[in-house]
Amino acid sequence: MSLPNPTDKYFKEIERLMFKFIWGKSNDKIKRDQMSQTYDIGGLKMTNIKTFTKCLKLSWIRRWWSQNSLWTLFPDQYFGGIRDILKVGPKYMTELALSTDNPFWKDVILAYHDFPEALLDDNNTEISEQPLWYNYNIKLDLIQNWHNNGVSLISDLISPDGKFYKYQELKDIHKIKGTFLDYQRVMTAIPKSWKKKIAERSEPKMIGPIKPLNS
């Protein structure tokens, strides 16, 4: 969909017609939110028209990322490079959306704004790929030098053995500037529950004693 999103009123009318087709003149037999769920949790995989439209808009982020066509020069010039945008959190998307008067690209940016939060399920891998900057879950101002030197995601703070780098290690690896207070501010801003998940992942699992075969 390369047009601006319809209004909420239009979405509601489409939804009304869809469910009228299913139920006829009678009232809905199943809640509409439930209808859009998958079969295994009692749904019927009914299309949620607003979510479907948002997914179509998200596909333009993929095109922007993967294509090298002339049209990508427009969003690059308007919003900056796509790779930089994908390394910051959804708060930045809000600022970008407010800065543009192009309704189509505003819809695209706002669709991507909702995407990271929809994916996050407290899984360790997804936590480590969370952006440090402009993240609603991490109350932290951008440290430009860190971002410019590749420290953009939580995973950039984590060593190959799964533990957080110490301050000097992080400075040596990423060649960042700043003080220990900057490091402490970043580490404190990451939610404790996330750090606990990451720490649990890095801890070796204890193996109990092996019972002799002849005992």
Side-chain angles (χ1 to χ4, degrees), residues 6-157:
T7 62
D8 285 343
K9 182 179 179 180
Y10 191 78
F11 275 126
K12 288 179 180 178
E13 179 62 16
I14 295 175
E15 185 181 71
R16 185 188 70 79
L17 292 172
M18 290 169 64
F19 282 95
K20 182 180 179 181
F21 175 79
I22 294 173
W23 302 118
K25 294 182 180 180
S26 61
N27 294 329
D28 293 2
K29 307 297 183 183
I30 303 173
K31 289 184 178 180
R32 294 183 179 184
D33 287 343
Q34 185 64 36
M35 287 278 286
S36 63
Q37 302 299 320
T38 54
Y39 299 131
D40 58 313
I41 55 175
L44 292 174
K45 298 181 72 172
M46 180 71 175
T47 299
N48 182 310
I49 191 65
K50 289 190 76 171
T51 301
F52 179 71
T53 302
K54 190 177 293 186
C55 289
L56 291 177
K57 288 297 190 296
L58 270 174
S59 69
W60 282 91
I61 295 288
R62 177 179 55 80
R63 293 187 184 100
W64 186 9
W65 169 273
S66 60
Q67 295 183 12
N68 193 25
S69 304
L70 285 176
W71 71 265
T72 62
L73 294 176
F74 172 78
D76 280 344
Q77 185 173 6
Y78 222 99
F79 305 116
I82 180 64
R83 284 163 177 76
D84 290 334
I85 289 175
L86 296 182
K87 288 184 178 180
V88 293
K91 285 175 67 177
Y92 188 65
M93 303 302 113
T94 302
E95 294 184 10
L96 285 182
L98 291 173
S99 71
T100 179
D101 54 5
N102 183 301
F104 168 73
W105 281 103
K106 179 174 289 192
D107 289 339
V108 171
I109 293 298
L110 289 177
Y112 184 69
H113 167 277
D114 297 336
F115 183 63
E117 291 299 311
L119 283 183
L120 184 62
D121 65 356
D122 224 25
N123 175 278
N124 181 73
T125 302
E126 290 167 0
I127 286 173
S128 66
E129 294 307 310
Q130 281 285 301
L132 290 168
W133 322 118
Y134 297 97
N135 190 324
Y136 288 117
N137 295 298
I138 301 177
K139 309 301 182 184
L140 188 65
D141 293 330
L142 173 68
I143 303 178
Q144 192 68 56
N145 175 263
W146 286 37
H147 181 59
N148 292 345
N149 283 279
V151 181
S152 301
L153 308 175
I154 290 179
S155 59
D156 297 322
L157 305 174

Side-chain angles (χ1 to χ4, degrees), residues 149-151 156-157 165 169-176:
N149 283 279
V151 181
D156 297 322
L157 305 174
Y165 287 119
E169 292 174 333
L170 192 67
K171 283 192 70 175
D172 293 342
I173 290 170
H174 290 287
K175 311 302 180 186
I176 57 175

